Every structure is written in C-alpha cells, then in structure tokens.
Amino acid sequence: MTTRAHATSSADTLEQSAERAFRLPVPALVGSLALLLLACLLSATQGAAGLPVGGVIRSLLDAVPFVEVDRTLSSQHEAVLWQIRLPRTVLAALVGASLAVAGAGYQGVFRNPLADPYLLGVSAGAGLGAVLALGFGLDLALGPVAALPMAAFVGALLAVTGSVLVARASFRNPATLLLAGVAMAALFSAAQTFALQRLDQTRAREVLSWLFGRLAADGWHPVLLLLPYVLVAGLVLLLHARHLDVLRLGDDEARALGLRPARSRLLVVTAATLITAAAVSVSGLIAFVGLVTPHIVRLLVGHSYRAIVPLSAVVGGGFLALVDIGARTLTAPAELPVGVITAFVGAPFFCVILWRRRHDA
C-alpha cells in the first residue's frame, strides 16, 4: 500500500510539473504587454510632426469611457494623432501580431522551426492574389467582406496546398516542406512579375510600392478591414495551441489522447493562411516577422505552444510597431518600406538559426 501511494503521489507530482511547464508564464505575458504598449506609445509620438508624450497619454486617457482628463494637444496635433498616427500604429500592431501568430501556427503544425508564411510561399501566394485584385480594380469592400483579402486568401491557400502536395511526406520530413515552400514562393513571385508587366505604369508603380511592404494607413479603414480576420483566425489559433503541443508527440500519441491530427492541422493551417492573407492584403509583403518572433518567444519561455502562440501575437505587434518607427524616421522625410527593414533584421537571424541547427546536429 505504501509503495502504491508513493507511486500515485509521484505521478501527481509529475502531472503538476508538466502542467506548470505548459502554463502561460504571467511575468512573460506582463513584460510582453508592457513592450507592446511602449512600442505603440513611441510609434504614436514619433514622426515628421513630433507629438509630446504627455499630451498623447492625456488624449488617450480622455478617450477611455468614464475617464475625464484635460487634453493639452492642439487641434492640429489631435488630428494628426487620431487620423494618422493611431490608425497606423494599430495597423502595425495587428499586422505584426497576425504574421507572428501565423508563423507560430505553421511551425507547430509542420514541426519545423524554420517554417513561416514567407518561406512557405504563403505570403507570395497572398501577394499574387492581392496584386491581381489591385491591378484589375477589385479592391472593393462591403464591411468586413472585401475582395482584396479574399483574393489574397485564395492565392495563399493555393501556395500552401502546392507546398504540401509537392512535399507529400511533409509532416514526417519537415525539411522537404520547406524546400517545397521555397519553390512555391519562387513560382508565385514570378507570376507576380508577369502580372505587373500587364498593368499600365501608374498602376504598376502603386502595386509595386505595396509589394515592398507598407503601413501607410488611410485612416481607420484598413484597421477595420483587418480586425475581423484577426479576431476569428487568431481565436482559432489560440484555441488550438494545446493541440500543437500534442502534435509534437506524433500522430499515434495524439490519437491515443483523443485528438484528430488531420482535423487539427487543417484548422490551424486554414486559420494561419487566412490571417496571413488578410495581413498581406492591407500591408503588402513583410518578410520574416513570422519567423523571428516565435523564435524570440521560444528562447524566453520554452517550447510549449500554449505560451508561444499568445506571446508571439503580443511580441509580434510590438516588434512591427517599433520597425515602423524606423521606417518613418531613418530616411526622413522619405519613408522606407517596412518590408525592407524586417528583411535586414530577419535574414541574418535566419542564417543564425540555420548555423545553430547545423552546429547542434
């Protein structure tokens, strides 16, 4: 009896330790939210027209229901804050969160830390769909339902489906899927170039500028267009974070625990593709956010996707908000494409990851 009680106690202790290991760390969540808020505050104050931090904070507090604070910004600065800066800041945070959480989802499904929307060809596919919609005047919207995100989603879905079909053993051999994604990205990028050549010069310049990645928000419209997709697809990914932890054990173990691996993968891939397509439709192609952010989070909190998925969304939003500050200020009064800065950051990071994997092997 004593031995049995001791074994039961040991099993309970092991289960509690495992539960703590997979729990979302509160300090990491608080720190990530603090980073996001600080990045958004800096983004709202920095630019061609510098806004005082105190005045911005007072204006934001006064907008909170049941809170009354005297505003100190001039009417011109208020217009800059609420019609230009805040829409762009919120858009940057939403796009960064979307790409980061999609990258975490792809990495969990394909069990490959190098998977992200850009490398799997998803961004290129979404870009092709959006280029066709923009180039031929299909960028129409009726509330949250718009042709542009739908066209981007179709292109992204074709790209990820093509990658999986080319690498039929992708779930057992993730490296094959990555190579297939690179091939799909090259194919869809070539199709983008072909489509651009069919457009007149004015339209082609507009589309090409968009392809480089930009966050020049036209008021709150892009934010309202993206928000429903972020809420729905992001919620699906958050609810399936536990499934991603189970899928790491293998399909047989997942089935033994009552999970249907094929269904879970389909839902996660669809949600990640939809949120990527929606982000691409309002911001263009912004590379490496979905690769860099989950890796940073993984280094800080471990390998549980119950922590990686939500924290990637928060850190990704703060990361892109900070990048957007650089895009607006590094070459002022000119503006750098956001995708250029993320590529400068992400490409060396990608090389370091490859070197570490080879070194560990």
Side-chain angles (χ1 to χ4, degrees):
M1 291 294 293
T2 303
T3 304
R4 183 178 300 177
H6 179 71
T8 303
S9 176
S10 299
D12 292 340
T13 302
L14 182 61
E15 183 178 352
Q16 292 172 0
S17 299
E19 183 64 28
R20 284 194 297 269
F22 285 102
R23 192 178 298 164
L24 178 62
V26 175
L29 179 60
V30 173
S32 301
L33 289 173
L35 170 66
L36 175 62
L37 292 175
L38 178 61
C40 290
L41 180 61
L42 290 175
S43 179
T45 58
Q46 301 300 312
L51 302 180
V53 176
V56 169
I57 293 176
R58 296 177 72 88
S59 183
L60 293 174
L61 288 175
D62 190 55
V64 177
F66 310 112
V67 176
E68 293 186 5
V69 178
D70 292 333
R71 301 192 182 196
T72 58
L73 293 179
S74 65
S75 58
Q76 183 179 4
H77 283 171
E78 286 282 347
V80 170
L81 175 64
W82 290 97
Q83 298 176 23
I84 299 175
R85 292 286 174 77
L86 281 183
R88 179 160 180 163
T89 298
V90 174
L91 183 64
L94 287 178
V95 171
S98 300
L99 297 176
V101 78
Y106 285 129
Q107 290 173 16
V109 163
F110 299 123
R111 289 184 287 177
N112 189 336
L114 299 179
D116 89 323
Y118 192 81
L119 294 175
L120 287 176
V122 178
S123 293
L128 175 60
V131 164
L132 294 176
L134 286 170
F136 296 98
L138 298 179
D139 47 333
L140 307 173
L142 181 60
V145 180
L148 188 55
M150 287 298 101
F153 175 67
V154 171
L157 196 59
L158 288 174
V160 73
T161 302
S163 298
V164 172
L165 289 178
V166 170
R168 291 174 182 267
S170 57
F171 299 121
R172 292 189 176 88
N173 185 9
T176 306
L177 177 72
L178 187 63
L179 295 175
V182 172
M184 286 297 110
L187 177 63
F188 280 86
S189 296
Q192 288 177 21
T193 303
F194 179 79
L196 283 170
Q197 288 184 333
R198 307 271 73 81
L199 303 177
D200 61 80
Q201 290 187 357
T202 302
R203 197 70 168 174
R205 277 196 297 268
E206 294 176 358
V207 175
L208 193 60
S209 173
W210 173 86
L211 278 176
F212 288 149
R214 58 175 176 80
L215 291 168
D218 182 18
W220 291 97
H221 175 70
V223 174
L224 297 177
L225 186 65
L226 176 60
L227 188 59
Y229 299 95
V230 172
L231 293 177
V232 175
L235 180 62
V236 171
L237 291 171
L238 287 174
L239 292 177
H240 284 76
R242 174 181 169 274
H243 294 197
L244 296 177
D245 283 329
V246 176
L247 287 174
R248 291 172 54 198
L249 304 175
D251 286 5
D252 293 337
E253 289 80 0
R255 292 190 189 95
L257 293 172
L259 188 69
R260 291 192 287 178
R263 179 178 178 273
S264 296
R265 286 196 181 99
L266 178 61
L267 287 173
V268 171
V269 168
T270 301
T273 302
L274 178 60
I275 201 170
T276 299
V280 169
S281 70
V282 298
S283 66
L285 300 183
I286 300 177
F288 293 111
V289 177
L291 175 69
V292 172
T293 307
H295 270 283
I296 293 175
V297 173
R298 192 176 285 110
L299 290 172
L300 295 175
V301 300
H303 294 272
S304 172
Y305 282 94
R306 274 179 273 186
I308 292 173
V309 171
L311 290 179
S312 292
V314 179
V315 175
F319 171 70
L320 200 60
L322 290 175
V323 168
D324 187 46
I325 297 174
R328 284 184 275 134
T329 59
L330 287 177
T331 59
E335 185 174 312
L336 277 174
V338 177
V340 171
I341 300 180
T342 59
F344 270 119
V345 174
F349 191 88
F350 180 68
C351 294
V352 170
I353 294 172
L354 287 176
W355 180 83
R356 287 188 60 183
R357 283 170 63 86
R358 182 179 178 182
H359 180 73
D360 294 340

